[in-house]
Amino acid sequence: MRFSLRLNNDLTLRDYVAVAQAAEAAGFNQIWVSNDLFLRSAPVILQTIAQATQRIEVGAGILNPYTIHPAEIAMLAATLDEATGNRFNLGLAAGAGEFLKWVGIEAVQPLTAMRESVSAIRSLLRGERTPMTGSFLHWEQEAYLRFDAPRVTPIYIGAMGPKMLALTGELADGALPLLFPPEHYFGVLPYLQAGAAQRSPALAALDLAVCIWVSLSEDRAAARRVLAAKIAYYGHALSPLILDRLGVTQADFRPIEHAIMVERDITRAVNMVDERMLRIGIVGGAHDVIERLEPLVAAGARHLSFGPPLGPDQLEAVRLLGQVIKYFRR
C-alpha cells in the first residue's frame, strides 16, 4: 500500500515544512502541492519541503501546458529531480477552465495538448532532439535540454472526464483522478482500464492514486465547516461524472459560487453546502476514513491519497491519518 498527502498552495512555507515532516514520520510515501493561480508557487514550496525531509517524494499537483510551456515544465522537472535526489513527481492536467479564464486563457484541444505535452516532456528529459509537428506543440531541432536530466521524471495526469481518464490509462506513469467521493473509484476505473488496453509495454504499471478529500478532527463540527468551505470554492468546477454521483447539478452550485466569488460571503456560501455535496469527502476521524475506504481496498486500490482541506488543524489531521496508514498496512 502507498499513501500520499495533497495540500493546496495556500499555506505558509513554515506550515508546509511542519506538515511534510509529520507526514514523513507518519509513513506517507508522497506529498503533493497544488499550483492554483494567484497563490504560492508550488515548485518553490516543493524545494523547501525536500530540503526539510529525507525520504518522502514531492509532487506538483498540478501544472498545465497553457500557463507553463511544456519546455519549461521539462526544465522544472529535471531541475527539481536534481535538487531532490529524484524524489520529484510531475503532475499534469489540462487545467480548470473556470480558473484559466481569470487570465484570459482558453484550454483549447485539452486531450491533444496533454498527449503532445507528455510525449514532448519525456523526449526532452531523455535528451532527445525531436521536432514537434503536432497541432498543439510546434518546435524545431533547437528545442532540447542543454543539460542531462537525472531521469525521465514520472508523470501523473490529473483527470476527471472519461476521455482524459482513458488517456491517462494509456500514457501516464500515475493517475490523479481529482476531486471525487471515494465511491467514484468504481466509476473511473473502467475508463482507466480501457486506456490501459492501449498502453505501451515499455511503461510500468499505472500508479492509481485514489484521491479523496478528508477533513479530520476530534471536533466534528469544525471539521465539517472546513470541508464545506472548500466544496463551496471548488464545487462549480466538478466534472459531470462527479456531480452525477453526488446527485447534484452545476445549477445547485451557482448560488454558492455567487456568494463566495461575487459577494465574498464565505459564511453564507458554507451554510449553503448541503449533505449531498458534503459526500464528496469524509468528515470525522480515522474510523470514518477506514469505513469509507475499506471497500475500495478490498476491490484492489493500492494507493490512497488524502487531500485538502484535511481539517482545522493540519498536524492533527496527519496524526489521525497515521492511524489509517497503520490500519491498512497491518
Side-chain angles (χ1 to χ4, degrees):
M1 290 290 295
R2 289 169 62 77
F3 298 89
S4 58
L5 195 68
R6 305 188 324 279
L7 301 174
N8 287 134
N9 52 322
D10 57 357
L11 305 176
T12 68
L13 290 177
R14 179 178 296 179
D15 286 339
Y16 286 112
V17 168
V19 172
Q21 290 175 335
E24 186 169 71
F28 279 94
N29 302 95
Q30 299 173 342
I31 185 167
W32 296 82
V33 177
S34 67
N35 195 53
D36 291 344
L37 284 172
F38 300 116
L39 294 170
R40 289 173 177 80
S41 173
V44 178
I45 295 168
L46 296 174
Q47 171 64 6
T48 302
I49 288 173
Q51 288 178 328
T53 56
Q54 301 296 320
R55 173 193 54 80
I56 198 167
E57 299 172 16
V58 298
I62 54 176
L63 306 181
N64 73 79
Y66 300 103
T67 57
I68 307 178
H69 193 277
E72 292 186 299
I73 292 175
M75 294 160 52
L76 183 152
T79 306
L80 276 173
D81 258 334
E82 183 178 355
T84 64
N86 291 349
R87 284 193 283 153
F88 176 65
N89 294 303
L90 173 59
L92 283 180
E98 292 287 324
F99 300 128
L100 290 177
K101 71 180 182 182
W102 292 352
V103 289
I105 294 176
E106 182 181 358
V108 296
Q109 301 179 285
L111 288 169
T112 299
M114 288 305 299
R115 180 179 292 277
E116 293 183 12
S117 294
V118 169
S119 175
I121 291 167
R122 283 178 174 155
S123 177
L124 289 171
L125 293 174
R126 287 193 294 262
E128 298 171 352
R129 302 190 186 192
T130 306
M132 292 296 298
T133 56
S135 57
F136 180 75
L137 289 177
H138 314 271
W139 65 47
E140 305 298 329
Q141 289 277 8
E142 290 79 10
Y144 65 94
L145 287 183
R146 268 65 172 179
F147 67 101
D148 293 330
R151 62 170 180 166
V152 179
T153 304
I155 297 176
Y156 288 66
I157 294 181
M160 291 189 288
K163 293 181 180 179
M164 193 65 76
L165 287 164
L167 183 73
T168 300
E170 177 189 350
L171 292 182
D173 297 291
L176 296 169
L178 302 178
L179 309 181
F180 58 75
E183 297 77 17
H184 195 47
Y185 170 78
F186 300 102
V188 304
L189 198 57
Y191 298 109
L192 289 165
Q193 290 171 335
Q198 309 299 319
R199 192 174 179 83
S200 166
L203 292 173
L206 183 75
D207 179 19
L208 168 55
V210 181
C211 298
I212 62 171
W213 273 356
V214 297
S215 186
L216 307 181
S217 175
E218 302 295 342
D219 183 345
R220 191 180 186 88
R224 188 193 190 283
R225 285 194 299 273
V226 173
L227 180 59
K230 287 299 181 183
I231 292 172
Y233 188 80
Y234 287 102
H236 66 278
L238 295 175
S239 77
L241 283 175
I242 296 170
L243 294 174
D244 288 346
R245 184 166 289 275
L246 292 172
V248 297
T249 66
Q250 272 203 332
D252 293 322
F253 280 103
R254 288 306 174 194
I256 299 174
E257 180 187 12
H258 188 271
I260 199 168
M261 298 293 187
V262 179
E263 299 174 12
R264 298 179 182 273
D265 188 340
I266 182 64
T267 301
R268 183 166 180 266
V270 165
N271 288 338
M272 286 191 285
V273 173
D274 62 32
E275 292 304 312
R276 298 172 304 160
M277 299 170 181
L278 206 68
R279 288 287 295 175
I280 194 173
I282 302 173
V283 172
H287 172 76
D288 298 283
V289 177
I290 292 166
E291 185 176 54
R292 290 269 306 267
L293 295 186
E294 275 192 310
L296 280 63
V297 174
R302 291 295 176 267
H303 181 167
L304 304 179
S305 183
F306 305 101
L310 300 179
D313 183 325
Q314 305 281 17
L315 293 179
E316 180 190 12
V318 171
R319 177 182 62 79
L320 292 170
L321 287 171
Q323 297 174 22
V324 176
I325 291 174
K326 288 179 181 177
Y327 177 85
F328 283 116
R329 281 187 175 154
R330 72 192 192 286

